Amino acid sequence: MKVLIIGGAGYIGSHVTKAMALAGHEVTVFDNLSSGLLVNLLPAAAFIAGDIRHADDISAAFSRGFDACVHLAAFKAVGESMVEPEKYSVNNLSGTINILNAASASGCRKIVFSSSAAVFGSPEYVPIDEDHPKNPESYYGFTKLEIERILAWYDSIRGIKFAALRYFNAAGYDPSGDIVGLERNPQNLLPIVMEVAMGWRKELQIFGNDYDTRDGTCLRDYVHVSDLADAHVNALAYLEREGKSLAVNLGSEKGVTVTEMVEAARRVTGRDIPARYTGRRAGDASSLIPTSALARSLIGWNPRLSDVDTLIKSTWDVYRTYRTPTERA
Ligand code: UD1
């Protein structure tokens, strides 16, 4: 299929682009490079520079004729979304509407959407299944949930079939080393641990050690980005085969605490990684663990790389090639 990958120069998008190309699709990346990186653009993909906030940019791209699109172009900083909601409204919400209108006008009837565990808010029970109540606790999470609802309307009115993929904690890097871009100003645990291991930060702050978990630090489900990328390929095949929309949770079903992640990172990297317990970070849930049974049964998805050692080693293998964080930005 001819597939347009919107946000394909970003961290997850570049892995999705690689997986789609390997699956035999003809891929084109659309990205404004606001957080995406030129170094992430793969030779197998054509590139269109453009911005989803500009309806003309995205319409021009769709007019080239695509059978399907993957939409990963979003701001994703939970804390920032509570300070600057306007930014999230314009990019995540209006930008997606621009995409759907352009897809609709051009006859593109399949979309794979990067949703998030943030649609659920604090869990009322674990593991979280797809029917778990959806009460996002950030404006970012709200935009993802709202887009899922808009997708459902475009399905029923325009016949656009969607796959909403709710990622839990994405981590890791392409194990064959084809993708080496480092996110600018990372906010997530593993990139921060790597920056401490590299000596770019003095220490890791562990946000809270009084949670109701096995060692008091937060429990998360880390899933390898290449496993997530495979889910996009499988989801697109499902849309083609079944002609039905779906929303699934994507996690490894292996809970790891912050302390366990740091200890594993010390072992795998051989570095000290100084860490200090500090107070809780506002908005952090104690445990965020999904069941991915539905993804297994509907799209045949089985993560292969999401064990802690592979997550850390594949990330470390990229970081250790840098002298400074911005060297290849
Ligand atoms: C958050 C969002 C998720 C979003 C993801 C990517 C929620 C509930 N989750 O996940 O939807 O897709 O970010 O941006 O909004 N930690 C430290 N020290 C640090 C950094 C993190 O101890 O310096 C801890 C956090 O407290 C947390 C764990 O590490 O327990 C993982 O944090 P992080 O990588 O930021 O992801 P989430 O907050 O789980």
Side-chain angles (χ1 to χ4, degrees):
M1 275 183 252
K2 280 184 75 178
V3 184
L4 182 63
I5 303 180
I6 304 163
Y11 166 59
I12 299 177
S14 53
H15 288 83
V16 171
T17 303
K18 177 170 177 179
M20 287 284 178
L22 279 177
H25 296 297
E26 187 184 327
V27 287
T28 301
V29 166
F30 178 100
D31 204 297
N32 70 355
L33 300 176
S34 69
S35 60
L37 299 165
L38 283 172
V39 72
N40 282 342
L41 289 174
L42 297 162
F47 177 60
I48 301 173
D51 195 311
I52 61 170
R53 290 170 290 198
H54 304 144
D56 291 349
D57 284 6
I58 194 75
S59 294
F62 272 100
S63 69
R64 298 189 186 193
F66 290 97
D67 305 302
C69 71
V70 184
H71 171 27
L72 309 110
F75 293 126
K76 61 159 187 137
V78 171
E80 181 190 60
S81 77
M82 301 300 283
V83 183
E84 291 182 75
E86 298 81 5
K87 198 172 150 178
Y88 287 71
S89 300
V90 173
N91 191 79
N92 295 14
L93 290 176
S94 305
T96 300
I97 291 167
N98 289 338
I99 290 171
L100 284 170
N101 290 348
S104 179
S106 74
C108 176
R109 292 279 178 276
K110 287 183 269 298
I111 177 165
V112 180
F113 170 61
S114 61
S115 189
S116 169
V119 300
F120 294 112
S122 285
E124 291 179 15
Y125 56 85
V126 284
I128 299 169
D129 58 18
E130 284 73 8
D131 295 329
H132 184 284
K134 290 158 196 83
N135 297 307
E137 282 163 11
S138 66
Y139 192 67
Y140 160 76
F142 166 78
T143 64
K144 292 288 179 181
L145 182 59
E146 201 63 8
I147 292 165
E148 288 194 9
R149 292 180 173 145
I150 294 169
L151 286 167
W153 282 107
Y154 273 71
D155 176 355
S156 65
I157 301 169
R158 287 280 175 248
I160 296 179
K161 300 301 162 192
F162 68 87
L165 306 182
R166 299 179 187 137
Y167 317 145
F168 278 66
N169 290 61
Y173 269 82
D174 173 40
S176 53
D178 287 340
I179 297 166
V180 297
L182 299 188
E183 278 191 285
R184 290 182 281 254
N185 305 317
Q187 311 279 324
N188 295 113
L189 178 63
L190 200 49
I192 291 175
V193 167
M194 293 291 115
E195 293 201 351
V196 178
M198 290 297 294
W200 300 338
R201 287 182 195 237
K202 200 163 64 55
E203 63 178 12
L204 171 75
Q205 294 183 27
I206 297 180
F207 299 139
N209 61 347
D210 57 351
Y211 286 98
D212 175 23
T213 60
R214 49 185 175 252
D215 61 22
T217 63
C218 290
L219 191 71
R220 291 289 179 275
D221 181 297
Y222 297 89
V223 55
H224 196 286
V225 66
S226 297
D227 285 334
L228 287 180
D230 288 344
H232 295 69
V233 175
N234 296 10
L236 182 54
Y238 175 93
L239 296 180
E240 174 79 351
R241 189 175 67 240
E242 305 288 333
K244 282 194 296 202
S245 297
L246 84 162
V248 291
N249 295 346
L250 297 180
S252 59
E253 301 179 323
K254 294 188 191 89
V256 180
T257 69
V258 178
T259 300
E260 288 165 354
M261 186 63 96
V262 177
E263 282 167 0
R266 288 182 181 132
R267 178 168 49 71
V268 171
T269 65
R271 302 283 174 105
D272 282 346
I273 314 184
R276 173 169 68 88
Y277 294 113
T278 61
R280 292 183 177 199
R281 183 172 71 174
D284 275 342
S286 166
S287 296
L288 272 179
I289 304 293
T291 164
S292 291
L294 194 63
R296 268 196 300 280
S297 70
L298 288 184
I299 63 171
W301 182 67
N302 285 303
R304 296 167 296 116
L305 300 167
S306 297
D307 59 282
V308 176
D309 281 26
T310 305
L311 288 168
I312 296 170
K313 182 167 187 315
S314 62
T315 310
W316 180 237
D317 283 346
V318 171
Y319 272 81
R320 66 200 300 194
T321 65
Y322 279 76
R323 277 163 304 175
T324 67
T326 51
E327 191 186 335
R328 276 172 263 170

